[in-house]
Amino acid sequence: MHTPALRLGAGLATGIALAAGVLTATPAVAAVGDDDPTVGARVTTGPATGLAINEVESNADDTDWVELVNTSSVAIDLSGWRFLDSDSSHTAYTLPQGSTIAAGGYLVVDQETTTRSGFDFGLGGADSVRLYDASGTLTLRYAWTTHAAVTYGSCPDGSGTLVDTTASTKGGPNDCSSPVRINEVESQGGIPGDWVELTNVGTTTVDLGGYVLRDSEDDHVWTVPAGTTVAPGGFTVLDEAQAGADADTAPGAGAGTGTGTGAGAGFGFGLGKADGVRLSDARGVLVDEYSWTAHAATTYGRNPDGTGAFAETAEPTKGSTNRFAGVVTAEAWPGGPDETVLDAEDTFTGDLSGLDWTSSASSQDGQLWAVQNGDGLLYHLVPDGRGGWAPTNTAGVDLRYADGTGTPDAEGVTVTADDPGAVYVSTERDNDVSKVSRPAVLRFATTDGSESVLRATDEWDLAADFPGLGANAGLEGVTWVPDAWLTSRGFVDQHTGATYAPAAYPGHGEGLFLVGVEGTASVYAYALMDDGSSQRVATIATPFSLVAEVQFDPTLDALWVVCDEACSGRTALFDVQDGAFTLATLYEAPANADRTLANEGFAISGRCVDGARATFYADDNDTNGASLRAGTYPCDAVEEPGDGDGGIPAPGDGEAPAPGDGQAPAPGGGETPAPGDGGGSTPAPGTGGSSPAPVPTTPGPTTPGPAAPAAPVAPDVSALVDGNRASVSAPSNVRAGSSLTIDVGTRYAGERVAVWLFSEPRLLGTPVVVADGTVTVAVPADVPAGQHRIAVAAFDGTVLGWTGITIDPATGSLAFTGAELGGGIAAALLLLAAGAGVLVARRRRTVGSPA
């Protein structure tokens, strides 16, 4: 869950805050709450003159926070000051002794996390922040009526009006610059001539009218015509003047509009071999610039778009996303442009999170399982006959732990083909003990969600694998992948370093569970055994800042990994290449979709109708009273599951439920071939039919970079020399049993590498280097504490770089990211350990019978 009220800071955000000298608040009962709308956001007289509310984050960051600035020439002591939002029933927070804000400095009042104290309420879409001095007098106040797209910030710092900023700058000067960036440059051989592509990294459309373009010569000046715009995430191209040419608009999603005419339709100078381009806004303020010393063989472009460094592209991509050799870049969503509301207003009250689609004996359109995180509810939804969907259990099923207590923070849901009559739910914590992490997978015995209350029959608590994980940063999504599908593709077990052998995990059923973890932005494959134990089998790094959902899609032979508004609604497809799940395709959100929706749930139908499969999205914020929306993804309607063609019946129909989208591959390797395999399809298990499964019309996932050997060669320890030591970087400390992110370098983006732990070489994983040049692997919990070396190598054993690292014990004092922790984590882990004994292990699956 990633709600404003309860989001907790990950290690990176904590590090930034500490580096900026951020001070946090401590709780205290305060007799404050009087409001005065005439009190403003800055102090103009008295001992606190120069103190101002400088920036407010109420949505889409790890935590909610308020930044104060001191524009005066003397320090201001805020010890004992108290902080509230607009709700006077909340307990105010008292800033601790020593809360001094230096002259010209910044101080952040932050939301509570497991690693630090802070205010324990959230900042809403229509809310305010109030700061009272030590005597209880209201001193600062700022109110808003809707969430900022980024943050509300003072422009300039401390004295200007608070406006939506270009970028969040917690603990530092506000970014109120133009969000327009030079994104790609063609200096020779373009069509119709030279051109400059602009993009918008902000959240609102920018009017480019009056912006000025120059090359390296000051007298080469061209003013962008009025009416030229660039949309958020869109592209607008400025062309060299040609007869009849206008300022081109990027085709497709988010494109701007160019309406210049006549002589002003293009810039009247060419771009040379050694030249540059400069863009200034209508006030004459330099917005962006780029220069070069030689023509590019293709074009020069940013990697990634809008924010990355310039490099030679793989090919010109005028008006669209840049492409680079060996790098997977985001593509336009290939389905329909819209996300359409499916639920009646106020069907849900917010916090709808995980989704899973299965086929149904009673409806060709199938059925949906959904979970709601705040109150731990399970919903069973069916088409309402009017184009929408509605729950058959209006109040939802009240989920509980095995002993009947608690409120599981239900974030993800899935069903499996080997366990009819059950649904599995991924959770972050028990909401009744909301400050303690409890990342777990729970099994509930139900066929239709008709029960009013359900106790978990089994729990697999994964907390030991994620020490230091924030209480609200745990398991966001869960899906199930059949063993037969994995073994037929040569899936490699990273725990053993050999090809995955299901028999190595007795009692785990007939497949693996994949969970997406918000706080590590990674996906993990687990064997969940019937005695309550578990084993991590693989770690899958993603290109996202967090993972909101995972879904196995046997129609595409791929794994969907989904991010929410933190990544503007992007989704990714992974397939198994050389034994590992590998990023194959990255998609933007549908063209007309609201990219600020907190779409924490995603599912995709197995039924192909008129060349499309339905996609489903769960909006955790219940925006405008709607929590459930649908889109489309292209397919080839050869047959339609659910029409008697072999679709998997739903739970309660007497046959096994569908995993993910209801089309489980046949056991024993008879699964639908991957796109491009050229093979035929086989019937779904349990149907006896022979109808082929749908085959998508769009190209399937493609392999980035050259193919790697099936098994990596361990580098010799003698190859770890000073000459290649500085080629990679990683945190100096990491906790055993946690995740480790290593910076390998963008030159390796898109390539799979092998990560080894020394002195005795131990393979930690074979991840693909993502676009920012990093890889993420898991450090096994049994690694001895002390000094070690981490080496990144090619599959032939060639060392690309290595670095020294200190492994801290699993019960040590460092968070999984290496950030320092307070005593709260240790206490949380003790609470988890104390509660671990309340469950009696049960057999995980008994096919055909409830638990």
Side-chain angles (χ1 to χ4, degrees):
M1 174 179 165
H2 200 61
T3 62
L6 294 172
R7 285 167 292 166
L8 301 180
L12 177 60
T14 302
I16 293 173
L18 292 174
V22 171
L23 299 175
T24 57
T26 56
V29 176
V32 298
D34 290 340
D35 196 20
D36 183 354
T38 66
V39 175
R42 57 188 55 85
V43 181
T44 56
T45 61
T49 299
L51 182 67
I53 295 172
N54 197 53
E55 191 173 7
V56 176
E57 168 60 82
S58 64
N59 189 33
D61 202 353
D62 295 306
T63 58
D64 293 342
W65 47 266
V66 174
E67 175 191 271
L68 307 176
V69 65
N70 178 4
T71 62
S72 76
S73 59
V74 296
I76 300 175
D77 186 4
L78 300 178
S79 301
W81 286 48
R82 285 166 287 188
F83 174 83
L84 268 178
D85 63 352
S86 63
D87 188 345
S88 297
S89 68
H90 287 154
T91 300
Y93 272 65
T94 302
L95 276 67
Q97 290 300 311
S99 298
T100 300
I101 181 169
Y106 302 86
L107 182 147
V108 173
V109 181
D110 213 334
Q111 197 173 18
E112 181 181 52
T113 75
T114 55
T115 64
R116 63 170 180 263
S117 58
F119 58 89
D120 62 357
F121 45 83
L123 303 179
D127 209 339
S128 66
V129 291
R130 297 177 287 173
L131 196 67
Y132 299 81
D133 67 16
S135 69
T137 301
L138 180 62
T139 304
L140 293 174
R141 182 184 182 276
Y142 174 66
W144 59 94
T145 58
T146 185
H147 287 305
V150 183
T151 62
Y152 287 117
S154 176
C155 298
D157 282 2
S159 61
T161 301
L162 275 81
V163 297
D164 208 327
T165 61
T166 297
S168 174
T169 57
K170 184 177 184 179
N174 291 338
D175 184 353
C176 303
S177 64
S178 168
V180 179
R181 300 290 182 266
I182 297 168
N183 197 55
E184 189 176 4
V185 177
E186 170 64 82
S187 61
Q188 69 167 351
I191 299 174
D194 295 342
W195 48 265
V196 176
E197 177 190 86
L198 306 179
T199 190
N200 179 356
V201 299
T203 57
T204 57
T205 297
V206 174
D207 184 353
L208 296 172
Y211 276 57
V212 175
L213 183 74
R214 294 179 173 86
D215 64 1
S216 60
E217 301 293 330
D218 288 339
D219 58 348
H220 288 174
V221 180
W222 180 71
T223 301
V224 179
T228 306
T229 62
V230 57
F235 306 94
T236 292
V237 177
L238 309 179
D239 272 306
E240 183 181 0
Q242 303 288 324
D246 290 341
D248 290 344
T249 297
T257 56
T259 57
T261 58
F267 53 89
F269 46 86
L271 302 178
K273 179 178 180 180
D275 208 342
V277 287
R278 294 172 289 170
L279 184 71
S280 301
D281 65 19
R283 301 168 299 170
V285 176
L286 182 67
V287 171
D288 199 13
E289 61 182 335
Y290 175 65
S291 61
W292 57 93
T293 58
H295 288 306
T298 52
T299 60
Y300 289 113
R302 287 189 184 274
N303 179 26
D305 289 286
T307 59
F310 278 91
E312 284 203 27
T313 62
E315 59 182 329
T317 55
K318 184 178 183 180
S320 61
T321 302
N322 293 338
R323 294 185 177 275
F324 298 88
V327 177
V328 177
T329 55
E331 301 177 3
W333 179 254
D338 300 310
E339 290 179 8
T340 304
V341 171
L342 294 179
D343 57 325
E345 187 172 356
D346 299 328
T347 299
F348 306 97
T349 57
D351 291 343
L352 197 69
S353 189
L355 295 174
D356 198 30
W357 183 94
T358 73
S359 60
S360 169
S362 59
S363 172
Q364 292 184 355
D365 293 321
Q367 59 186 337
L368 286 169
W369 290 98
V371 286
Q372 191 160 284
N373 50 58
D375 43 14
L377 296 179
L378 172 70
Y379 290 98
H380 175 255
L381 297 98
V382 296
D384 64 6
R386 301 183 299 275
W389 285 64
T392 60
N393 52 347
T394 306
V397 181
D398 187 7
L399 301 180
R400 298 289 170 179
Y401 290 98
D403 62 357
T405 66
T407 305
D409 186 58
E411 299 285 354
V413 62
T414 193
V415 295
T416 72
D418 65 349
D419 190 16
V423 296
Y424 292 80
V425 174
S426 59
T427 70
E428 292 186 323
R429 58 188 169 179
D430 177 357
N431 283 332
D432 293 353
V433 191
S434 62
K435 297 178 183 178
V436 179
S437 177
R438 190 172 174 175
V441 177
L442 304 174
R443 179 186 183 273
F444 295 94
T446 185
T447 59
D448 57 7
S450 59
E451 301 82 0
S452 59
V453 179
L454 276 175
R455 294 188 181 191
T457 63
D458 302 84
E459 176 178 3
W460 293 269
D461 191 337
L462 307 180
D465 276 8
F466 301 99
L469 187 66
N472 199 33
L475 309 190
E476 280 287 327
V478 62
T479 193
W480 182 85
V481 183
D483 284 340
W485 188 90
L486 293 165
T487 55
S488 69
R489 282 158 179 76
F491 180 64
V492 173
D493 183 339
Q494 294 177 5
H495 174 61
T496 64
T499 301
Y500 171 57
Y505 305 106
H508 83 284
E510 298 175 13
L512 297 180
F513 285 84
L514 274 62
V515 295
V517 178
E518 177 179 344
T520 66
S522 296
V523 177
Y524 304 86
Y526 277 93
L528 303 182
M529 271 66 77
D530 55 16
D531 62 358
S533 64
S534 62
Q535 177 59 56
R536 184 184 294 179
V537 174
T539 299
I540 306 164
T542 78
F544 299 134
S545 58
L546 63 84
V547 173
E549 178 73 282
V550 289
Q551 281 287 341
F552 175 59
D553 188 343
T555 300
L556 292 181
D557 281 311
L559 174 73
W560 290 95
V561 179
V562 178
C563 190
D564 57 16
E565 78 276 14
C567 309
S568 299
R570 285 183 170 182
T571 55
L573 279 174
F574 286 69
D575 59 4
V576 175
Q577 300 174 20
D578 301 314
F581 277 98
T582 302
L583 176 62
T585 308
L586 186 62
Y587 288 128
E588 298 286 1
N592 297 336
D594 182 350
R595 300 185 182 200
T596 67
L597 293 179
N599 284 337
E600 293 190 359
F602 173 84
I604 183 166
S605 169
R607 183 172 185 248
C608 187
V609 180
D610 296 329
R613 290 194 288 156
T615 55
F616 301 92
Y617 306 86
D619 173 16
D620 180 77
N621 283 343
D622 197 46
T623 304
N624 298 322
S627 291
L628 190 66
R629 292 172 175 82
T632 59
Y633 186 86
C635 62
D636 181 8
V638 178
E639 295 287 347
E640 296 181 357
D643 291 335
D645 63 342
I648 306 302
D653 293 340
E655 296 190 50
D661 70 356
Q663 300 177 21
E671 66 282 348
T672 304
D677 286 350
S681 57
T682 59
T687 65
S690 59
S691 299
V695 178
T697 56
T698 54
T702 57
T703 305
V713 176
D716 192 275
V717 67
S718 63
L720 276 60
V721 297
D722 288 343
N724 55 27
R725 178 170 186 169
S727 300
V728 302
S729 62
S732 59
N733 294 74
V734 68
R735 186 195 295 273
S738 61
S739 296
L740 172 67
T741 297
I742 306 165
D743 189 347
V744 182
T746 56
R747 63 188 180 282
Y748 296 113
E751 297 183 22
R752 183 176 300 112
V753 296
V755 181
W756 298 87
L757 180 70
F758 283 86
S759 56
E760 294 298 327
R762 179 172 180 177
L763 183 64
L764 300 187
T766 56
V768 171
V769 182
V770 297
D772 67 358
T774 63
V775 295
T776 301
V777 294
V779 178
D782 60 355
V783 173
Q787 300 295 316
H788 296 265
R789 285 176 289 181
I790 294 285
V792 181
F795 268 55
D796 64 1
T798 301
V799 175
L800 306 180
W802 67 278
T803 186
I805 194 166
T806 299
I807 305 294
D808 293 284
T811 56
S813 60
L814 292 179
F816 68 94
T817 54
E820 294 183 1
L821 298 180
I825 286 294
L829 292 175
L830 287 173
L831 286 171
L832 285 171
V838 302
L839 290 179
V840 177
R842 293 177 172 84
R843 181 169 182 79
R844 184 169 74 81
R845 298 174 181 80
T846 304
V847 176
S849 63

